[in-house]
Amino acid sequence: MYIFILKEYYNNFKIQKNNKVYLLPELPEVETISRGLKLKIIGKKISKYQQFREDLRWPIPTCMKELIEGTIIKSIARRGKFLLINLDVDYTIIIHLGMSGRLLIYNPFDKYRKPSKEKEMGIFLHTLVKPGKHDHIKIDFDDGSQMVFNDVRRFGAIDLIRSEKLVFHKWLSKLGPEPLSNNFSPQVLQKKIENKKCSIKAAILDQGIVSGIGNIYACEALWEAKISPFKICSKMTEQDCYSLVKELRNVLKKAINSGGSSLKDFKATGGELGYFQNLLSVYSREKLNCKRVLCKGKIKRQAQSGRSTFFCVNCQS
Ligand SMILES: [Zn+2]
């Protein structure tokens, strides 16, 4: 029996706890999971819903069982870092993976794959699982497959809302534009930040300004655009905004593409540094030489609003 873990296909922000590594999903990771789910669960009928606790980060709605059993998964989407599972009865399940949330798909009909080192990470098992430790929600489909929401640290969240009211949901209503959509542009960014006194890095991490950006992709895009993460928003020129929006998009697309490719060949990363790690130009490269051609600078790590910022002291001014 093959068990497919939709998360962890390439590495991201690492959180160490009890010698285990957890990954913090940003837009590209959630997009990758969304694409994986599209392949795996669209068209399936939910035959049984079970939950093994009343809350994750927030209470799990009490009406889940009643409203979703018997429905069919119509489509899957993403908004910012939220996964949206649309049901044929015009309800949408909203999922946020928090810090350590994972969606596990168990399919008895998937071709058996030879167990490997990943076995201990729970990727390969031989029977359908009984509820495991940290499995909080289990959905059975009528074809015998299952989807499990597993979350060690329980910062994840799930909610259910009528699809027509989705944009008014409290988690989604204040989200800024999707960075890869036409709603986001250098002009939009400049307008949103022109009077702000905070740093440009803090601004692009603000989900109300642009959605889905986390620490890694903020550092990477600022490096690509040669902009200091500490630059005050009101000092950002038109050219700065142009470069930053362009590089944000490039970095996100690159990450989505690498996630997609690792999804295809099932290169689960477990605790290892993943595929995208090789593509990082600045994040996690403290004290190493700047990768920019002809730049002799070194990468520095500095605390900024409680997170690590990585930047080149020479070329990001
Ligand atoms: Zn440099």
Side-chain angles (χ1 to χ4, degrees):
M1 184 120 350
Y2 177 61
I3 293 175
F4 178 43
I5 296 192
L6 285 166
K7 202 177 159 302
E8 299 185 347
Y9 273 87
Y10 55 97
N11 212 342
N12 200 329
F13 197 99
K14 289 191 298 172
I15 300 161
Q16 299 274 356
K17 194 189 174 193
N18 304 332
N19 295 322
K20 286 184 184 167
V21 178
Y22 303 111
L23 313 170
L24 195 65
E26 298 185 23
L27 184 153
E29 290 74 21
V30 181
E31 179 64 26
T32 300
I33 295 162
S34 157
R35 290 178 183 190
L37 283 178
K38 280 179 191 170
L39 299 173
K40 294 279 169 181
I41 65 168
I42 284 184
K44 291 192 179 183
K45 186 173 183 178
I46 297 174
S47 55
K48 194 174 176 187
Y49 169 87
Q50 292 170 275
Q51 67 185 60
F52 307 109
R53 53 179 301 121
E54 289 178 358
D55 61 348
L56 292 166
R57 183 168 190 178
W58 293 295
I60 299 169
T62 50
C63 57
M64 288 292 283
K65 186 176 173 65
E66 188 189 338
L67 289 175
I68 76 168
E69 278 189 357
T71 67
I72 293 169
I73 310 283
K74 193 168 75 176
S75 59
I76 311 280
R78 176 193 59 74
R79 177 76 175 99
K81 301 176 193 174
F82 293 90
L83 273 171
L84 309 173
I85 302 177
N86 299 310
L87 306 173
D88 65 339
V89 287
D90 292 327
Y91 270 96
T92 297
I93 302 172
I94 312 174
I95 294 177
H96 194 286
L97 296 168
M99 297 176 117
S100 56
R102 298 182 305 172
L103 286 171
L104 315 176
I105 304 292
Y106 301 85
N107 191 337
F109 304 109
D110 269 353
K111 213 171 95 195
Y112 176 73
R113 280 162 188 268
K114 205 166 167 252
S116 69
K117 265 194 288 181
E118 284 88 356
K119 189 172 179 180
E120 60 196 78
M121 297 298 293
I123 295 175
F124 297 96
L125 293 177
H126 296 276
T127 55
L128 278 183
V129 282
K130 301 184 188 96
K133 209 177 172 192
H134 312 300
D135 284 354
H136 305 307
I137 290 171
K138 188 165 96 170
I139 290 174
D140 285 55
F141 298 108
D142 66 349
D143 67 350
S145 60
Q146 298 173 326
M147 181 169 79
V148 170
F149 190 177
N150 174 289
D151 190 354
V152 178
R153 303 188 75 184
R154 297 202 304 270
F155 278 105
I158 187 165
D159 204 359
L160 185 69
I161 189 169
R162 288 222 75 104
S163 305
E164 63 190 22
K165 293 188 174 158
L166 192 60
V167 292
F168 304 113
H169 190 281
K170 61 187 174 203
W171 297 343
L172 306 181
S173 62
K174 295 191 177 69
L175 285 183
E178 284 290 321
L180 296 175
S181 76
N182 291 334
N183 297 329
F184 189 58
S185 66
Q187 294 74 26
V188 169
L189 177 66
Q190 189 149 32
K191 187 106 195 75
K192 280 177 175 273
I193 65 170
E194 60 192 358
N195 297 319
K196 292 205 176 288
K197 304 266 186 287
C198 66
S199 68
I200 182 60
K201 186 180 169 220
I204 55 174
L205 290 178
D206 178 345
Q207 300 299 299
I209 290 178
V210 55
S211 62
I213 312 288
N215 201 26
I216 291 183
Y217 302 109
C219 290
E220 291 292 309
L222 285 162
W223 180 84
E224 293 281 358
K226 298 191 198 172
I227 296 168
S228 164
F230 304 96
K231 189 161 189 165
I232 299 302
C233 285
S234 55
K235 298 258 167 39
M236 288 282 287
T237 63
E238 213 179 303
Q239 178 60 43
D240 286 340
C241 289
Y242 175 83
S243 306
L244 183 54
V245 167
K246 179 171 160 243
E247 299 305 344
L248 268 172
R249 286 184 166 150
N250 285 341
V251 162
L252 293 172
K253 279 187 202 156
K254 204 162 74 169
I256 290 170
N257 290 339
S258 69
S261 59
S262 56
L263 194 68
K264 248 181 267 150
D265 55 19
F266 298 104
K267 287 225 169 67
T269 61
E272 305 297 315
L273 291 180
Y275 181 76
F276 189 68
Q277 181 76 15
N278 302 328
L279 302 176
L280 293 176
S281 299
V282 65
Y283 186 85
S284 78
R285 299 193 67 249
E286 187 183 12
K287 291 181 185 161
L288 298 177
N289 293 332
C290 179
K291 279 191 181 177
R292 203 182 313 276
V293 179
L294 298 180
C295 178
K296 297 273 195 290
K298 290 247 191 273
I299 303 304
K300 190 174 171 188
R301 173 193 188 130
Q302 191 170 324
Q304 186 181 15
S305 324
R307 307 181 207 217
S308 290
T309 288
F310 295 86
F311 63 105
C312 172
V313 288
N314 187 38
C315 63
Q316 285 179 268
S317 53

